[in-house]
Amino acid sequence: MSLDAKTIAAITDRIQHAQDKVHTITKVTDEHPSMSIEDAYAVQDELRRSWIARGDRVTGLKAGLTSRAKMLQMGVNVPSFGIQMASMARPENSAIEMSGLIHPRVEAEIAFVLKNELKGKGLSIEQVIAATDYVIPAVEVIDSRYEKFKFDLVSVIADNSSSARYVTGGRPLDPQGLDLRTIGVVIEKNGEIQALGASAAVLNHPANAIVMLVDHLATRGECLPAGSFVMTGGITEAIPVARGDNIVARFQDMGSVSFRFI
Ligand code: OOG
Ligand code: MG
């Protein structure tokens, strides 16, 4: 860690204020150029502590910046992890309020739900699949608190990797019977295709996002317990949305996820 606890707490307050009051801020690294990735995850720890103290509940974790399309779009080439809370979850077919968001974008992702704990470094794809109860289509609504959606790796991690809302839907499926590299995905906005891709875009296989997340947790002495819900990252670039937009993400063999912005 390069920053002391007081500074981490101050950065957390600034980011949380921007998240709660729906406004942008300058990048945290502008003010703290020496801030490290470890410091940024310490900010996430503080955010989580504060959300739990308010009565919110952790519902899952996410890996982001795991596809080339996302890395190119954001100019960052290392995945960033984040925390999903109950307050961020929205039901399928719901109306998501724009008033709580700054400049949201949507991403189509494959989410995993574990039946067994995953722990340690260098797991294989097969170990991840064997520990998975089911996979399910998900759409993440990201909303960077940084001006113009521009950031570096440390800043985006401190902002909980732009997490804002998420919706799951479609059909939960046993991954044993699926080729998780070749799931085709189409994102439609108001009936028009905005982006399409195949699930191998995520680190050659979305289970690799779980491998990387479990590696990251291991360096912090943590693991993914049984029952964990994990989103593996946008397969295509993220699509900007506005009030009134209808979103449908179609996943080959897995069904679709729909909702709208009001
Ligand atoms: C960071 C979060 C990226 C994903 O799925 O790639 C992410 C961002 O692009 O703002 O959630
Ligand atoms: Mg995402």
Side-chain angles (χ1 to χ4, degrees), residues 62-67 70 73-74 80 107 109 140 142-144 149 151 156 161-163 232-234 238:
K62 73 166 207 181
L65 304 173
T66 47
S67 67
K70 281 290 308 179
Q73 184 180 31
M74 306 322 299
S80 69
E107 306 179 314
E109 312 198 7
E140 180 171 28
I142 52 169
D143 191 31
S144 178
F149 230 111
F151 46 67
V156 69
S161 297
S162 310
S163 301
T232 53

Side-chain angles (χ1 to χ4, degrees), residues 32-188:
H32 303 283
S34 70
M35 189 169 173
S36 67
I37 291 176
E38 213 188 332
D39 293 324
Y41 282 112
V43 171
Q44 283 193 15
D45 291 341
E46 281 301 294
L47 285 170
R48 172 171 41 203
R49 210 184 42 74
S50 151
W51 289 328
I52 290 171
R54 288 180 184 177
D56 207 347
R57 179 171 54 82
V58 176
T59 47
L61 294 176
K62 73 166 207 181
L65 304 173
T66 47
S67 67
R68 194 171 154 70
K70 281 290 308 179
M71 288 181 189
L72 280 175
Q73 184 180 31
M74 306 322 299
V76 174
N77 59 9
V78 178
S80 69
F81 306 107
I83 305 161
Q84 305 285 3
M85 303 297 293
S87 59
M88 301 175 188
R90 292 292 180 275
E92 221 183 334
N93 299 314
S94 60
I96 296 183
E97 298 195 3
M98 278 299 277
S99 58
L101 301 164
I102 306 165
H103 41 200
R105 299 178 177 182
V106 296
E107 306 179 314
E109 312 198 7
I110 293 177
F112 285 60
V113 174
L114 301 186
K115 59 184 174 194
N116 302 129
E117 174 188 89
L118 283 174
K119 161 184 201 175
K121 295 203 176 228
L123 295 178
S124 64
I125 288 176
E126 291 68 30
Q127 283 173 303
V128 173
I129 299 292
T132 300
D133 188 5
Y134 58 89
V135 289
I136 186 168
V139 176
E140 180 171 28
V141 181
I142 52 169
D143 191 31
S144 178
R145 267 53 64 161
Y146 299 117
E147 291 158 7
K148 301 196 165 91
F149 230 111
K150 287 218 156 55
F151 46 67
D152 47 53
L153 181 65
V154 166
S155 295
V156 69
I157 293 170
D159 183 26
N160 194 28
S161 297
S162 310
S163 301
R165 306 283 183 267
Y166 70 93
V167 182
T168 56
R171 278 187 286 285
L173 286 178
D174 182 346
Q176 301 281 4
L178 285 176
D179 181 355
L180 276 180
R181 291 166 304 168
T182 57
I183 306 291
V185 170
V186 176
I187 304 179
E188 294 171 9

